[in-house]
Amino acid sequence: MAVERTLSIIKPDATRRNLTGKINAVFEDNGLRIVAQKRAQLSPAQAGAFYAVHMERPFYGDLVSFMTSGPVVIQVLEGENAVAKNREVMGATDPKKADAGTIRAQFAESIEANSVHGSDSAENAANEIRFFFAETEILP
Ligand code: IDP
């Protein structure tokens, strides 16, 4: 199995409820290593560009408002099959459909305020990591 990197964002609903440590424990308990991490306030331009793929979706404006409503914690996670592993521990987008024990089942407030983002492919992970981090900020 290949060691991969993926981009994770702990979203404003979770930072507001002081859940960063509990969510990080789920990553670490599942073999994902946090090799870069920073707390940031996204601008509307940054959040809009990050979610540009959803620009035509009806929830896009609300999603940008939500993602800029408070600080986020942006992370690079590293581990075997990190992209798929992180999607597994995050759970389904809609917390009502997320498997028990996943981050979203435990912590998400709604389909929008669902506590975490995780890249959905290795290619998107590389682009998303580059969007937020210089290579020198990632320390395996
Ligand atoms: P993902 O985060 O599980 O990969 P995506 O479909 O890529 O899900 O959607 C990106 C984000 O947009 C979701 O995590 C969620 O915050 C928001 N979102 C997705 N679908 C809806 C919806 O139907 N209503 C409101 N927000 C949504």
Side-chain angles (χ1 to χ4, degrees), residues 36-130:
Q37 174 166 268
K38 59 185 168 193
R39 191 168 165 98
Q41 171 65 52
L42 297 183
S43 68
Q46 269 179 313
F50 184 76
Y51 278 120
V53 64
H54 294 305
M55 202 173 278
E56 304 303 325
R57 309 281 287 278
F59 57 80
Y60 177 71
D62 282 348
L63 178 60
V64 171
S65 297
F66 163 62
M67 290 299 291
T68 56
S69 66
V72 293
V73 175
I74 312 167
Q75 308 169 303
V76 180
L77 307 180
E78 190 175 85
E80 291 198 346
N81 291 328
V83 173
K85 170 58 74 179
N86 185 37
R87 297 289 299 184
E88 191 184 308
V89 303
M90 286 164 60
T93 309
D94 181 351
K96 290 195 216 97
K97 296 181 184 155
D99 289 340
T102 61
I103 292 170
R104 284 166 166 171
Q106 289 184 75
F107 302 120
E109 293 182 322
S110 68
I111 191 169
E112 178 181 83
N114 59 5
S115 301
V116 279
H117 165 85
S119 309
D120 62 3
S121 69
E123 187 187 353
N124 285 342
N127 290 334
E128 291 178 1
I129 289 169
R130 214 175 298 119

